[in-house]
Structures are given as structure tokens and as C-alpha cells.
Amino acid sequence: MARTALHEDVLEALGRRIVDGELGEGAVLTLDGIDTEYDVSRSVSREAVRVLESMGMVASRRRVGVTVLPRTSWHVFDPRLIRWRLDSGDRPHQLRSLGELRSGFEPVAAGLAAVRATPEQCGALSAAANDMVVHGRAGDLEAFLQADIVFHRVLLEASGNEMLAALDGVVAEVLAGRTHHHLMPAHPKDEAVDLHVEVARAVRSRDAEAARVAMATIIAEATGAVSDDAEDSTTLGGDGDHA
């Protein structure tokens, strides 16, 4: 357990330094250097580097070391990388990019879900939307976040498309980043919550067009709000409180 924690600590530290630009493209690290800097064993350093390699962030070569790769090589759909980028000065660009991505696939998923969702998935979707209503009114943003994550995960699964379902981690990181960086109002807007209820109702009623339209509206509203606040908070040098 301790070794796993050490590996995660080193991975997080190196990954964030790369994302922040402290370790820029072409920078070269060595396992000896990582061992010494973080006071960890070779196996811990090697495992952290292995994960970064799997994310397309670094490349290891004998007699060369561990080289930081250009951003064009990064696996941008990796939820961990998304989280690091949302925690960095790259947040406005990342939110805009993710919002554009979501606008392309979540309305499609909603339309497919209206055709393919099982009764159990329809029930889970409605339950998550109802939980959002309850937690939103109470101002419990963490509970609201969890219900929101469940809602979008079930929706993507209900599309019946495994490629869309595999994007649930991407959406979850967007939603978590919005909450944890104070880009949510203290009480989520009734209009936004009602739209989630509308999506669940449309899916249950097998109304694909209504589901697509409601989901597209959700994405447009969320993307516009958090992008504006993220840019404002970056300009001010901190996290803005979207009230």
C-alpha cells in the first residue's frame, strides 16, 4: 500500500510539472535523478515513468533518459491528464476544448439512449436526475456532483455504443473540475437541473429529438458559464466563485 502511494505521489508530481511547463518539451530526466529528488526506490520511479509513457507524455531510451514529449503526443482523453490540465493555467483552453467535444457526442448519446435504453437504465437516469434536484436545492455540491456524474455515465451507457460509454471518465473529470474549482453556483440553476429531468423524461418516453435538444442545451449552458468564469479566475490569479 505504501509503495502504491509513493508511486502515485511521484506520478502526480511529475505529471503536473510537465503539464505546467516546468518540465517542457525535450526536457530529459533520469531514473537516478527521480530516485534522488523524490527519495524513492528505483521500482517506484520506473512505475511512475511507465504510466507517463502510457499517457504519451514521456519516452524512455537507453543512454538518453526520460524525455518529455510534445503536447501533440499526449493522450488527451486520459482522465488523469484532464484533471491535471484543469488544475493548471491551461484550464480555460481545456474547458473550452472539452465543452466542444461534449457538444459533439452527448446529444448523440441522448438520442440513442431514447431508442436503446433498458427499463433499468431509464429508472437509473430518472433517479439520478431526481437526486440532482434534491441536492441542488439543498446546496450540497458534492452530493450534486456525484448524482450528476451518475446521470451522465448512465446516459452514455444507455446509448448502447461502447465507444460513447468509454467517454464517461472524460465527462466525470469535467464535472468534478467545475465543482472543485468553484465554477458552480452555491445552488445549481433550476433551469439546468430541469433540463436533466427533461432528458430523463425524453429517454423514458422514447423521444429521441427532445432528448438530443435538451442535452445540447445543457452542454451549451454549462460550457458558456464555466469557460467565462475560468477565464475570469485565471485573469485574477485565483478561482472565481460563480454565484
Side-chain angles (χ1 to χ4, degrees):
M1 182 69 72
R3 181 166 154 181
T4 300
L6 283 173
H7 149 246
E8 288 293 333
D9 289 344
V10 175
L11 173 61
E12 286 279 323
L14 290 174
R16 290 178 184 279
R17 288 173 68 190
I18 293 171
V19 167
D20 287 341
E22 180 185 341
L23 295 174
E25 176 184 344
V28 178
L29 305 170
T30 64
L31 290 175
D32 282 339
I34 296 171
D35 294 347
T36 301
E37 182 172 2
Y38 295 101
D39 192 22
V40 293
S41 68
R42 177 56 52 86
S43 60
V44 169
S45 296
R46 185 176 289 116
E47 178 60 17
V49 168
R50 185 194 66 76
V51 175
L52 290 172
E53 284 186 289
S54 74
M55 298 169 69
M57 298 179 75
V58 302
S60 297
R61 293 182 181 175
R62 288 181 180 274
R63 293 187 291 275
V64 173
V66 180
T67 305
V68 176
L69 295 176
R71 288 174 178 256
T72 52
S73 297
W74 297 1
H75 299 171
V76 294
F77 288 101
D78 189 298
R80 182 180 276 135
L81 178 54
I82 290 172
R83 183 167 66 253
W84 292 341
R85 294 181 74 181
L86 288 175
D87 289 346
S88 75
D90 194 31
R91 188 185 309 154
H93 176 268
Q94 179 73 160
L95 284 170
R96 182 168 56 251
S97 180
L98 289 166
E100 291 169 354
L101 174 68
R102 291 181 67 195
S103 70
F105 72 81
E106 285 204 86
V108 172
L112 291 173
V115 176
R116 300 172 176 171
T118 66
E120 291 75 18
Q121 288 170 329
C122 289
L125 202 61
S126 294
N130 289 335
D131 286 344
M132 290 177 68
V133 172
V134 172
H135 298 311
R137 288 174 179 168
D140 187 340
L141 293 185
E142 280 300 324
F144 180 89
L145 169 62
Q146 293 310 311
D148 202 4
I149 289 173
V150 169
F151 179 92
H152 289 274
R153 185 185 70 238
V154 172
L155 182 75
L156 292 171
E157 291 174 350
S159 73
N161 183 301
E162 62 183 9
M163 304 293 282
L164 290 173
L167 292 168
D168 68 323
V170 171
V171 176
E173 287 299 337
V174 178
L175 299 176
R178 183 179 63 183
T179 296
H180 297 153
H181 288 291
H182 312 295
L183 302 176
M184 282 284 289
H187 290 271
K189 294 181 180 179
D190 289 341
E191 298 89 339
V193 178
D194 289 344
L195 282 167
H196 286 75
V197 174
E198 178 57 30
V199 170
R201 183 183 301 116
V203 169
R204 188 172 61 249
S205 302
R206 305 302 181 189
D207 189 338
E209 182 59 21
R212 279 194 295 268
V213 170
M215 180 53 65
T217 305
I218 288 173
I219 304 301
E221 188 279 332
T223 300
V226 300
S227 294
D228 290 345
D229 279 1
E231 290 173 0
D232 289 345
S233 66
T234 300
T235 300
L236 293 171
D239 285 331
D241 187 5
H242 179 201

